């Protein structure tokens, strides 16, 4: 159910997320200190290659990490296996990626 | 052991039938020094001869008498009743995670099949005509092999493992401990075979490191650490293979 390939994908995506989570939380706390408005935040993020890459990589890592984690829970708790389990894993991964990518594009593209 | 003057223990035994089993209560004499296996034997000899259970050595070597005692897996021949009593009550059931044959006897085939599936076998480096390999006992890798070598195949860790309970294909702690032990043995040639065998979809990467195996192992072995070792070595092979490619 969880082979070496999936195990490594989940561990590596977790390692990628560690600095990104810390960066995200730090920015969230910092950004609201002076009462920044949405427009002011968007003026900083739109057109920024840095924030596009920061949250773009974050979304990819989250999609991979969460899909594998949920795959384990669904298999062990609900007994789903085989093709149905793989299909669910890929669906979760894809849904999270599409939702995240939409948000990243909305906030960082001009 | 025929005394009936002190029938203090209330022992509930899980019995099997066509409808999935039922609990049967027995009154059993309490003694200052008795093991759970003594209690089961008393029931079979003096109360109900149809009770089926399995044991052999009675001294903690053969690994055949493990059962669930008050919900936890134990080697019953070395488990003192007073240490596991719940008031005056004892609940004895067949080992978890294995199919029941009858009453307290489980089918150990899935357990041993997984030892083979994990390549927990000896892969010889030499023939009988070659001299014996000299082993340095101080070698750290030998230390890893020695740490797991006293496994008695009792299946207590397998019954304790919640990952096996949720994922019946998972190889389980005992098979993976054996694989790690053989992997670290200098006399073993099949290192990559072992790593491949434990890297599949039922392999060591399913372990959540909950540690029930190490907690309940009657010989105080540490399958969780062995599994962590296998995870480490298999992870290294990914990068090694990339480099070699």
């Amino acid at each position: 159910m969880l082979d070496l390939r999936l195990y490594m994908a989940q561990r590596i995506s977790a390692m990628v997320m560690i600095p990104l989570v810390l960066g995200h939380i730090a920015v969230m706390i910092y950004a609201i200190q002076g009462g920044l408005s949405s427009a002011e935040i968007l003026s900083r993020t739109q057109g920024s290659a840095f924030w596009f890459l920061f949250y773009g990589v974050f979304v990819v890592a989250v999609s991979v990490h969460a899909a594998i984690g949920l795959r384990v829970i669904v298999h062990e708790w609900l007994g789903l296996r085989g093709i149905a389990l793989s299909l669910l894993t890929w669906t979760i991964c894809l849904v999270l990626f599409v939702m995240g990518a939409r948000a990243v594009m909305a906030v960082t593209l001009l | 052991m025929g005394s009936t003057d002190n029938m203090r223990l209330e022992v509930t035994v899980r019995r099997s039938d066509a409808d999935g089993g039922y609990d049967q209560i027995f009154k059993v004499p309490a003694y200052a020094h008795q093991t759970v296996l003594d209690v089961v034997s008393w029931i079979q000899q003096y109360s109900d001869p149809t009770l089926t259970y399995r044991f052999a050595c009675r001294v903690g070597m053969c690994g055949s008498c493990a059962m669930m005692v008050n919900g936890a897996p134990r080697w019953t021949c070395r488990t003192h009743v007073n240490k596991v009593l719940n008031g005056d009550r004892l609940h004895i059931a067949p080992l978890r995670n294995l199919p029941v044959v009858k009453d307290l006897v489980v089918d150990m085939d899935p357990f041993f099949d997984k030892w083979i599936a994990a390549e927990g076998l000896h892969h010889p480096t030499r023939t009988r005509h070659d001299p014996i390999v000299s082993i340095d006992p101080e070698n750290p890798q030998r230390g890893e092999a020695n740490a797991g070598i006293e496994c008695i195949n009792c299946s207590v860790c397998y019954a304790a493992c919640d990952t096996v309970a949720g994922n019946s294909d998972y190889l389980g702690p005992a098979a993976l401990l054996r694989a790690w032990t053989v992997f670290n043995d200098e006399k073993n040639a099949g290192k990559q075979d072992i790593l491949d065998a434990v890297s599949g979809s039922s392999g060591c990467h399913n372990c959540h490191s909950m540690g029930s195996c190490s907690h309940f192992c009657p010989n105080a072995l540490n399958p969780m650490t062995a599994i962590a070792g296998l995870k480490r070595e298999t992870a290294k092979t990914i990068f090694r293979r990339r480099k070699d490619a």
Side-chain angles (χ1 to χ4, degrees):
Chain A
M1 188 270 311
L2 201 61
D3 60 11
L4 176 59
R5 200 173 43 94
L6 288 171
Y7 172 86
M8 290 304 283
Q10 202 185 23
R11 268 28 182 207
I12 291 169
S13 58
M15 281 190 265
V16 170
M17 278 196 293
I18 292 169
L20 298 178
V21 168
L22 293 175
H24 173 72
I25 292 171
V27 170
M28 288 304 105
I29 292 170
Y30 169 75
I32 58 158
Q33 292 300 313
L36 273 179
S37 68
S38 307
E40 284 169 319
I41 292 173
L42 285 175
S43 73
R44 287 164 168 81
T45 57
Q46 281 180 335
S48 161
F50 173 78
W51 289 119
F52 176 80
L53 280 177
F54 185 96
Y55 281 107
V57 171
F58 206 158
V59 163
V60 172
V62 166
S63 309
V64 170
H65 190 82
I68 299 171
L70 288 171
R71 169 193 174 87
V72 172
I73 295 169
V74 167
H75 176 67
E76 289 189 12
W77 287 34
L78 304 177
L80 199 67
R81 51 172 61 223
I83 294 170
L85 186 63
S86 295
L87 216 60
L88 183 76
T89 311
W90 279 107
T91 306
I92 293 167
C93 183
L94 210 65
V95 168
L96 287 175
F97 177 75
V98 169
M99 287 169 67
R102 272 190 72 220
V104 170
M105 286 194 291
V107 172
T108 59
L109 295 187
L110 285 171
Chain B
M1 269 189 74
S3 167
T4 52
D5 57 344
N6 188 19
M7 307 288 272
R8 193 167 57 77
L9 298 181
E10 186 183 302
V11 182
T12 308
V13 179
R14 190 73 189 163
R15 306 296 299 268
S16 57
D17 63 10
D19 301 325
Y22 60 96
D23 282 341
Q24 188 175 5
I25 296 172
F26 296 93
K27 290 285 183 188
V28 178
Y31 295 97
H33 302 288
Q34 65 187 146
T35 65
V36 175
L37 184 62
D38 290 336
V39 166
V40 176
S41 297
W42 190 94
I43 294 171
Q44 200 262 348
Q45 286 172 28
Y46 297 102
S47 186
D48 185 350
T50 68
L51 177 66
T52 305
Y53 64 111
R54 187 191 277 137
F55 76 97
C57 76
R58 296 177 296 166
V59 289
M61 289 175 71
C62 73
S64 56
C65 69
M67 301 168 197
M68 302 300 289
V69 181
N70 283 345
R74 307 273 181 199
W75 54 352
T76 57
C77 71
R78 296 290 298 273
T79 301
H80 204 287
V81 166
N82 288 342
K83 295 231 169 103
V84 290
L85 266 184
N86 178 15
D88 279 338
R89 286 199 296 274
L90 214 50
H91 187 278
I92 303 174
L95 274 182
R96 194 169 75 128
N97 295 341
L98 288 164
V100 175
V101 176
K102 181 176 181 281
D103 295 339
L104 300 172
V105 174
V106 291
D107 179 5
M108 301 283 279
D109 276 356
F111 175 73
F112 287 114
D113 287 346
K114 287 177 179 180
W115 279 53
I116 309 299
E119 286 291 332
L121 332 151
H122 181 54
H123 312 80
T125 50
R126 299 183 180 194
T127 69
R128 66 180 66 219
H129 307 295
D130 298 315
I132 297 171
V133 186
S134 82
I135 301 294
D136 173 14
E138 303 297 326
N139 182 330
Q141 205 179 12
R142 186 64 229 168
E144 289 284 344
N146 284 343
I149 213 157
E150 294 292 345
C151 175
I152 59 169
N153 328 340
C154 65
S155 198
V156 160
C157 60
Y158 190 81
C161 179
D162 287 334
T163 307
V164 174
N167 175 6
S168 56
D169 293 334
Y170 172 49
L171 293 171
L176 293 169
L177 174 71
R178 175 58 52 168
W180 180 240
T181 304
V182 176
F183 176 83
N184 284 297
D185 186 349
E186 289 167 60
K187 300 189 294 298
N188 170 62
K191 289 193 189 300
Q192 192 55 51
D193 293 342
I194 294 172
L195 294 183
D196 289 342
V198 301
S199 296
S201 60
S202 313
C204 63
H205 306 99
N206 291 285
C207 169
H208 299 309
S209 306
M210 288 184 279
S212 298
C213 51
S214 303
H215 179 72
F216 284 103
C217 175
N219 269 344
L221 306 184
N222 198 341
M224 189 173 68
T225 306
I227 294 168
L230 287 172
K231 286 177 179 171
R232 208 167 48 238
E233 289 302 323
T234 50
K236 280 186 203 162
T237 60
I238 278 201
F239 301 111
R240 210 178 299 148
R241 281 181 181 179
R242 284 272 149 75
K243 224 166 69 181
D244 294 345

